Amino acid sequence: MLDRQKKILYFNTFLNFSRFIYVNLEKQWEKVARESGLSSAQQHCLWILFIHEGMTLTQLSNIALWNKSTTSEIVTRLEKKKWIYKKRDNHEIKLYLTENGKSLVKNSVKNSSCEQFISIFDSLEEDEIKQILETLKQSCDLISLNENKDFKSFVLNYSKDIKDKL
């Protein structure tokens, strides 16, 4: 068992590495989104709906890790641009991409910023990438203060679903 000082040291190191990764990925993601005429939040929303159409606002906010008011604002902007639409399904309102929204998502992975962004994996073997992803999953499980089943389910099924859509 680790003593308290080592725990503090390791936790601080973990926080700093996590912050570094987050800040740098967010900068690159924003650059990719801007090249498609979007904010990173708008692109994130469109991608989630591209992978799993017909979700509710609550499901979207859980998966995107936003509060409902933020999600609602993003959805409203995307709806005004005619990239998504709402449809009542029984007692729920579900969100869907328009054909323009689908085209925008597909084209967003074809720009030069995206190619540069995804090249971070060029120097790694597939097994190394899988190990990094497993470590990130374990890190998420460790720090998860509350269960977010929508998020976990989406991420675990994401790679299977995205291959079928592109």
Side-chain angles (χ1 to χ4, degrees):
M1 182 78 113
L2 295 175
D3 65 40
R4 182 166 167 68
Q5 286 190 300
K6 278 192 177 180
K7 283 183 195 178
I8 291 170
L9 168 70
Y10 290 142
F11 187 72
N12 189 279
T13 303
F14 175 80
L15 286 175
N16 283 298
F17 278 133
S18 297
R19 177 163 167 60
F20 178 85
I21 291 168
Y22 172 77
V23 168
N24 283 283
L25 286 176
E26 192 67 25
K27 284 179 190 174
Q28 289 297 315
W29 191 353
E30 192 66 43
K31 184 178 175 184
V32 171
R34 258 194 326 270
E35 198 167 322
S36 295
L38 301 162
S39 69
S40 59
Q42 290 172 329
Q43 186 181 46
H44 189 46
C45 181
L46 290 172
W47 266 100
I48 291 169
L49 291 172
F50 182 73
I51 300 304
H52 187 74
E53 284 194 291
M55 64 177 50
T56 65
L57 191 67
T58 299
Q59 290 169 321
L60 178 59
S61 66
N62 288 342
I63 291 167
L65 305 176
W66 298 318
N67 62 46
K68 275 180 126 177
S69 64
T70 299
T71 307
S72 182
E73 289 175 28
I74 294 166
V75 164
T76 299
R77 287 188 196 116
L78 294 173
E79 199 174 18
K80 285 180 182 174
K81 294 182 179 198
K82 307 243 187 278
W83 291 328
I84 67 170
Y85 66 95
K86 296 175 184 172
K87 181 178 172 185
R88 183 168 289 286
D89 184 10
N90 293 325
H91 300 293
E92 297 179 313
I93 296 175
K94 303 234 177 150
L95 305 169
Y96 297 88
L97 290 180
T98 64
E99 288 305 315
N100 285 342
K102 289 176 186 177
S103 294
L104 184 63
V105 170
K106 287 179 182 179
N107 289 331
S108 74
V109 294
K110 296 177 183 174
N111 65 45
S112 60
S113 295
C114 184
E115 288 302 318
Q116 181 182 8
F117 192 28
I118 63 175
S119 71
I120 62 172
F121 290 126
D122 284 354
S123 65
L124 300 173
E125 297 295 324
E126 187 173 4
D127 287 345
E128 293 172 306
I129 295 168
K130 287 179 178 180
Q131 182 58 50
I132 290 169
L133 295 176
E134 181 58 32
T135 300
L136 287 171
K137 181 187 170 301
Q138 289 173 349
S139 298
C140 289
D141 289 343
L142 280 173
I143 63 172
S144 180
L145 298 177
N146 59 0
E147 289 294 317
N148 185 333
K149 291 178 184 157
D150 289 338
F151 175 78
K152 284 184 180 182
S153 174
F154 179 81
V155 172
L156 293 174
N157 292 308
Y158 182 84
S159 59
K160 290 180 263 180
D161 294 342
I162 197 169
K163 287 196 286 187
D164 295 338
K165 299 256 182 178
L166 290 177

